[in-house]
């Protein structure tokens, strides 16, 4: 039997019954990577010798009667996580030889749960792109069409899952970096509530692995099924043992409902600042129809929805000012001249991003205050609704674009060009207030490319969008195995 495209839940059942061993699963996964990853280039740092040794230990532990959440399950890890003995570069050439001495807290949790780490997956330079390519490891392609991107910055992880390279992966998200690759590659991902999952050791190689989190940024699970997301989130969730974990334990509330017919859902398919492509709009409609067919209460408008234009503006201000704080510009004289030349009436997102590059602390505090007002608005909305369904990006996976200056790139939406980074507004809808959001497959475009949507839920109620994703899975088709270009040679 072939195991590479089974869910983690199915693999665990097979391991428990003795139908397969972890060594067999690991050998099959390694063989598939060695055979098929030459084009996709998802697993940039293999760790096969240690994976085989870990699989053998998992089988021995099971034979002794041990039981752990992921015992013997092959997984991958995004390159930006520290794994002792493997390079952590974030795709930055000056750090190509950096070897951390300790595992990131989430890598430790994977190993404690018994997972077998196959290796690390590719990322963009500094994790700062919607694609995954860098000078060290090259370009990760989309398993459905090698001419297109797998997304970023967790593009390697999404491509690995879609290709059958391990049952689970862990990624990170500040600008849709979990959700966009899942949408582009046809898999599942969950952006947890801000602060729910400890991120120590998911840090640029020039920085110490401190027990602090970055504003907007989260780490989270990726999988080929909705139930596997919950399985992996339960392993990952909880405070850092060096800080809040000293005095606190996590107890996530259950999902608001167990039946689809009990859910109240707001569906959005239009944004005031960017068009929604026809393929993505169709995906949103497929999910809306599945909800309605299942008896859920579906609405298309609500006066309680926070203003989408201001939400996008605040998101860009917080994202860009935070990015510059972590990766300072070498010189900002030309930038100051450009900003000074902007019309006071220019409220485009391009202008917002430029001004945010020069934000003062006072500017940031003002934006943060407005964020709190938006959070209050979301609390009011989630008193009337249980989830919001909306796009992740306006298009399916787009062709590779390695234009040296990302600000010069454009995204084509049904024949109309928009600034490249404007497509982040949908991802920012959940990121700016720190809400949980689950990316789910929602069919295919006319070209056969995967299309996904996100299910945004109430803060700290992560099980609500995850449960909704589980209920929708059989109605929307869930994960489908890529068969493009004759590269599925199993």
């Amino acid at each position: 039997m072939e195991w590479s495209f089974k869910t983690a839940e199915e693999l665990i059942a097979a391991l428990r019954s003795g139908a397969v061993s972890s060594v067999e699963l690991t050998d099959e996964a390694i063989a598939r990577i060695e055979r098929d990853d030459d084009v996709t280039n998802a697993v940039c740092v293999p760790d096969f010798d240690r994976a085989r040794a870990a699989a053998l230990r998992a089988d021995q532990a099971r034979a002794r009667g041990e039981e752990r959440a992921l015992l013997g399950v092959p997984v991958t890890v995004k390159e930006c996580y520290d794994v002792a003995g493997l390079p952590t570069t974030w795709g930055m050439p000056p750090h190509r030889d950096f070897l951390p001495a300790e595992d990131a807290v989430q890598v430790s949790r994977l190993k404690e749960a018994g997972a077998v780490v196959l290796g690390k997956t590719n990322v963009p330079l500094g994790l700062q792109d919607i694609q995954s390519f860098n000078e060290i490891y090259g370009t990760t392609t989309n398993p459905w069409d090698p001419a297109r991107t797998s997304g970023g910055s967790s593009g390697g992880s999404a491509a690995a899952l879609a290709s059958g390279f391990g049952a689970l992966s862990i990624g990170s998200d500040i600008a849709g970096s979990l959700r966009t690759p899942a949408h582009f590659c046809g898999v599942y991902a969950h952006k947890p509530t801000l602060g729910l999952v400890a991120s120590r050791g998911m840090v640029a190689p020039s920085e110490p692995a401190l027990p602090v989190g970055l504003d907007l940024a989260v780490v989270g699970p990726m999988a080929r099924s909705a139930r596997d997301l919950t399985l992996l989130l339960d392993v990952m969730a909880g405070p850092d043992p060096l800080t809040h974990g000293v005095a606190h334990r996590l107890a996530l509330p259950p999902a608001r409902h167990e039946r689809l017919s009990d859910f109240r859902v707001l569906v959005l398919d239009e944004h005031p600042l960017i068009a929604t492509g026809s393929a993505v709009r169709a995906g949103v409609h497929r999910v809306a129809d599945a909800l309605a067919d299942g008896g859920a209460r579906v609405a298309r408008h609500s006066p309680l929805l926070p203003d989408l234009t201001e939400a996008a503006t605040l998101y860009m201000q917080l994202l860009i000012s935070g990015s510059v704080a972590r990766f300072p510009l070498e010189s900002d004289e030309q930038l100051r001249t450009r900003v000074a030349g902007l019309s006071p009436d220019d409220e485009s997102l391009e202008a917002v991003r430029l001004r945010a590059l020069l934000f003062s602390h006072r500017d940031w505090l003002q934006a943060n205050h407005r964020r709190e007002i938006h959070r209050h608005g979301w609390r009011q909305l989630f008193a009337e609704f249980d989830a919001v369904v909306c796009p992740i990006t306006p298009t399916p996976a787009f062709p590779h674009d390695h234009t040296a200056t990302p600000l010069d790139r454009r995204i084509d939406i049904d024949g109309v060009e928009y600034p490249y980074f404007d497509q982040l507004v949908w991802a920012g809808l959940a990121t700016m207030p720190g809400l949980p959001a689950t990316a789910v497959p929602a069919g295919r475009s006319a070209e056969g490319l995967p299309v996904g949507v996100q299910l945004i839920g109430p803060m700290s109620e992560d099980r609500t969008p995850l449960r909704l994703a589980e209920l929708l899975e059989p109605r929307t088709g869930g994960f489908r195995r890529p068969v493009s270009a004759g590269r599925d040679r199993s």
Side-chain angles (χ1 to χ4, degrees):
M1 177 182 289
E2 182 192 58
W3 299 97
S4 293
F5 287 92
K6 300 291 186 183
T7 67
E9 189 175 48
E10 290 170 331
L11 295 184
I12 291 167
L15 286 163
R16 286 174 177 165
S17 71
V20 71
S21 69
S22 179
V23 167
E24 291 171 321
L25 293 179
T26 301
D27 283 342
E28 183 181 306
I30 290 171
R32 181 173 288 275
I33 294 168
E34 291 179 333
R35 187 189 68 201
D36 293 348
D37 201 29
D38 54 337
V39 174
T40 307
N41 191 33
V43 181
C44 60
V45 184
D47 198 19
F48 296 158
D49 289 343
R50 292 199 299 184
R52 288 189 172 101
L56 179 59
R57 289 194 299 272
D59 287 336
Q60 292 169 340
R62 191 173 296 280
R64 293 192 299 268
E66 291 186 27
E67 190 59 75
R68 284 176 267 166
L70 301 176
L71 187 59
V73 177
V75 306
T76 59
V77 171
K78 188 176 179 179
E79 200 272 356
C80 55
Y81 285 89
D82 285 347
V83 178
L86 297 182
T88 297
T89 71
W90 287 37
M92 298 186 286
H95 302 291
R96 67 171 66 241
D97 297 321
F98 175 73
L99 296 176
E102 296 181 351
D103 290 340
V105 64
Q106 292 304 331
V107 174
S108 295
R109 288 178 179 175
L110 281 177
K111 292 180 177 179
E112 289 166 2
V116 174
V117 178
L118 298 167
K120 303 178 83 175
T121 57
N122 202 20
V123 297
L125 176 67
L127 313 189
Q128 294 189 306
D129 203 344
I130 312 168
Q131 307 170 77
S132 292
F133 69 95
N134 60 77
E135 183 180 318
I136 300 174
Y137 300 122
T139 300
T140 298
T141 67
N142 193 301
W144 290 87
D145 180 353
R148 296 175 183 266
T149 182
S150 62
S153 61
S154 305
S157 288
L161 286 167
S163 302
F165 305 159
L168 302 167
S169 194
I170 57 175
S172 60
D173 191 311
I174 194 172
S177 289
L178 283 161
R179 292 161 287 162
T180 298
H183 157 47
F184 285 174
C185 294
V187 299
Y188 288 80
H190 181 68
K191 185 198 87 65
T193 294
L194 183 66
L196 181 73
V197 181
S199 60
R200 175 165 48 89
M202 205 293 291
V203 62
S206 59
E207 301 295 329
L210 301 175
V212 295
L214 298 175
D215 186 35
L216 303 175
V218 301
V219 298
M222 306 183 78
R224 286 191 295 269
S225 78
R227 288 175 63 87
D228 279 359
L229 286 181
T230 300
L231 173 69
L232 184 49
L233 181 65
D234 284 345
V235 169
M236 299 179 72
D240 194 305
L242 299 184
T243 54
H244 298 297
V246 173
H248 298 273
R249 295 293 178 267
L250 179 70
L252 275 174
R256 288 187 175 186
H257 310 292
E258 286 299 315
R259 299 183 306 175
L260 193 58
S261 58
D262 292 331
F263 276 85
R264 305 160 298 168
V265 183
L266 176 63
V267 175
L268 307 176
D269 64 1
E270 294 183 353
H271 197 286
L273 298 180
I274 196 167
T276 303
S278 56
V280 169
R281 188 185 301 275
V284 174
H285 292 175
R286 277 191 290 270
V287 172
D289 290 344
L291 288 164
D293 290 346
R297 193 191 87 189
V298 177
R300 297 281 184 166
H301 305 280
S302 173
L304 297 174
L305 181 69
D307 182 79
L308 297 184
T309 296
E310 185 181 33
T313 299
L314 289 171
Y315 171 64
M316 293 295 179
Q317 290 173 337
L318 294 167
L319 176 69
I320 299 301
S321 61
S323 176
V324 172
R326 294 191 299 277
F327 300 98
L329 300 174
E330 293 182 5
S331 173
D332 60 7
E333 286 304 315
Q334 290 183 334
L335 175 62
R336 290 184 183 279
T337 300
R338 287 185 65 185
V339 171
L342 291 172
S343 167
D345 298 328
D346 188 349
E347 297 180 354
S348 68
L349 289 177
E350 283 191 296
V352 169
R353 288 189 289 270
L354 282 172
R355 294 187 183 108
L357 288 168
L358 298 176
F359 251 37
S360 68
H361 184 50
R362 179 178 180 178
D363 293 331
W364 187 90
L365 287 173
Q366 290 174 338
N368 187 53
H369 175 68
R370 293 299 306 168
R371 168 166 52 182
E372 292 301 330
I373 294 173
H374 272 252
R375 282 177 173 155
H376 185 63
W378 282 105
R379 293 185 195 105
Q380 293 176 309
L381 182 138
F382 283 122
E384 296 294 327
F385 295 95
D386 303 305
V388 173
V389 173
C390 65
I392 297 168
T393 71
T395 69
F398 52 84
H400 300 289
D401 183 352
H402 296 178
T403 305
T405 304
L407 292 178
D408 292 337
R409 299 177 193 161
R410 293 292 182 264
I411 182 71
D412 183 298
I413 304 176
D414 291 348
V416 179
E417 290 192 344
Y418 291 82
Y420 183 71
F421 288 113
D422 282 11
Q423 64 185 299
L424 298 181
V425 296
W426 283 115
L429 190 62
T431 301
M432 185 271 289
L435 301 172
T438 305
V440 303
R444 300 284 174 266
S445 71
E447 299 170 297
L449 296 169
V451 173
V453 304
Q454 61 181 330
L455 316 175
I456 301 175
M459 187 174 293
S460 299
E461 295 189 47
D462 291 59
R463 296 197 191 282
T464 293
L466 285 167
R467 178 57 180 162
L468 183 57
E470 291 178 22
L471 294 169
L472 283 169
E473 187 167 359
R475 293 175 176 270
T476 56
F479 170 75
R480 289 290 181 268
R481 179 175 174 167
V483 293
S484 62
R487 290 175 50 244
D488 183 15
R489 292 165 280 180
S490 57

